[in-house]
Amino acid sequence: MSSSFGTTITVSTFGTSHGHAIGAIVDGLPCGFTVDMKALEAFIARRAPGKSQLHTQRKEADIPQFLSGIVDNTLSGSPLAFQILNTSHHSQDYQNLQDIPRPSHADYTARLRYGDHVDMRGGGHFSGRLTAPICVAGGIALQILKAKGITVAGHIKQLGPIVDTSINMVTPDIEALVAISGETIPMVSPKARTDAETLITHLRQDCDSIGGIIQMVVTGFPKGIGNPNYDGLENRLAKTVFGVPAVKGISFGSGFAGCLERGSEQNDPFTIVDGTIRTTKNNSGGIQGGISNGMPLIMQVGIKPTASIFKPQQSVSLEGKTEKTLIIKGRHDPCIVLRAVPVMEAITALVLLDFLAPVHEYNNEP
């Protein structure tokens, strides 16, 4: 199974949702960088389950046990290896799924690809549980980027029919996004948060789910970073983001809506501000030709509704070749978008840090 990404900074995840542990090996991180462990734990907690009635009630602390690559909270230059123990899995809730695949899950396709012995308890290696180690690695990457003056933050732009406050793509209020990072529903508008909570609570009671759109904003990223054609900023971000379960789409800048407008409306005119070349609009999302232009990086990610819902659904028996009605048990999020925001921040940070991390940058002379 493909479980790795990155060029200079590489991340390789391991484990399954209901196995002994999950974790990752991260190579290429800068030697000598001291990690703020309290800040890292706070970031990881944003993704952790069981923190709210709006989340799945699977309770996992998600505290990483570092095995190598860090000494006294300081990166040592060797590969960073860590594990996160699984302590609250209920595999009995998934026994019927060995024969009856869940609609819109990887149960059926995984069996087609890997055969009958693939471990799909709780989604196995396909589970969103594997985003926990991504948040550990990405939480460290966020701290490294912050030390370089780069801020990565996200919010839920839209949840079902509920739309959050629009972000100015030329001069985004990044502090407003950072300020809501601790909210259960990370939306800037208090009214939108209240409406979203009401909607999710209703959907939980109705045994259903909802999806949404996450918007990522990056400020302070230097210009001239990236490559054209098949190795640009958009290319690597899109490839890595699509490795996160439930992602169904990605766009940059004005996105698909901008594709329906005229060029005179969408083009980003150049201007000079304090002696620096900028653009008066930012429909490109800070990227042109796969290379950063110095404007804020803007990205939208579409997350589908949680596929594990408690309503009766039509499926089949793989062994009996007969149609079956499936009733899913277990603990599932009525809206996975809430816990996906820190995952998107982590992914974005890791990809951007990879672009900024040629080996010579860390070969500082004494």
Side-chain angles (χ1 to χ4, degrees), residues 5-248:
F5 64 89
T7 302
T8 300
I9 296 177
T10 59
V11 182
S12 181
T13 59
F14 64 83
T16 58
S17 179
H18 287 194
H20 175 70
I22 54 176
I25 298 174
V26 187
D27 201 2
L29 292 173
C31 181
F33 183 85
T34 299
V35 177
D36 183 335
M37 285 298 175
K38 287 187 177 180
L40 179 60
E41 290 177 7
F43 178 74
I44 296 168
R46 290 173 53 197
R47 192 224 68 96
K51 302 294 184 181
S52 164
Q53 288 300 312
L54 302 181
H55 297 166
T56 171
Q57 292 308 290
R58 176 173 178 171
K59 297 193 182 297
E60 297 280 5
D62 282 356
I63 302 300
Q65 298 177 349
F66 290 101
L67 308 175
S68 68
I70 189 165
V71 179
D72 295 331
N73 298 341
T74 299
L75 299 176
S76 65
S78 61
L80 180 72
F82 60 88
Q83 67 175 3
I84 300 171
L85 298 180
N86 291 325
T87 61
S88 181
H89 45 75
H90 293 173
S91 297
Q92 67 273 11
D93 292 336
Y94 296 83
Q95 289 179 351
N96 63 326
L97 305 181
Q98 295 178 1
D99 181 53
I100 306 175
R102 293 167 293 178
S104 295
H105 269 279
D107 297 342
Y108 176 60
T109 52
R111 191 161 172 176
L112 286 175
R113 176 68 176 84
Y114 296 106
D116 295 344
H117 294 291
V118 64
D119 180 5
M120 291 302 293
R121 297 170 300 164
H125 194 64
F126 296 81
S127 171
R129 178 107 184 95
L130 271 296
T131 60
I134 293 299
C135 281
V136 176
I140 295 173
L142 284 164
Q143 292 187 26
I144 298 172
L145 290 178
K146 184 178 180 180
K148 297 175 180 290
I150 301 167
T151 302
V152 178
H155 73 123
I156 299 175
K157 181 178 182 180
Q158 185 168 350
L159 194 152
I162 301 166
V163 180
D164 193 18
T165 301
S166 297
I167 300 299
N168 186 317
M169 294 196 297
V170 176
T171 57
D173 187 350
I174 196 72
E175 295 304 322
L177 297 182
V178 172
I180 63 166
S181 62
E183 297 285 347
T184 300
I185 302 175
M187 302 177 88
V188 177
S189 165
K191 183 180 185 303
R193 289 201 296 269
T194 299
D195 292 346
E197 182 174 358
T198 300
L199 174 60
I200 296 170
T201 299
H202 170 73
L203 289 168
R204 176 182 285 282
Q205 295 168 348
D206 195 37
C207 301
D208 217 331
S209 63
I210 194 76
I213 299 171
I214 294 170
Q215 185 174 52
M216 294 302 308
V217 179
V218 182
T219 59
F221 193 73
K223 61 177 66 176
I225 303 298
N227 300 295
N229 301 327
Y230 305 110
D231 193 35
L233 285 170
E234 296 133 316
N235 305 73
R236 282 204 224 167
L237 281 166
K239 177 182 177 181
T240 313
V241 163
F242 271 111
V244 177
V247 170
K248 299 301 290 182

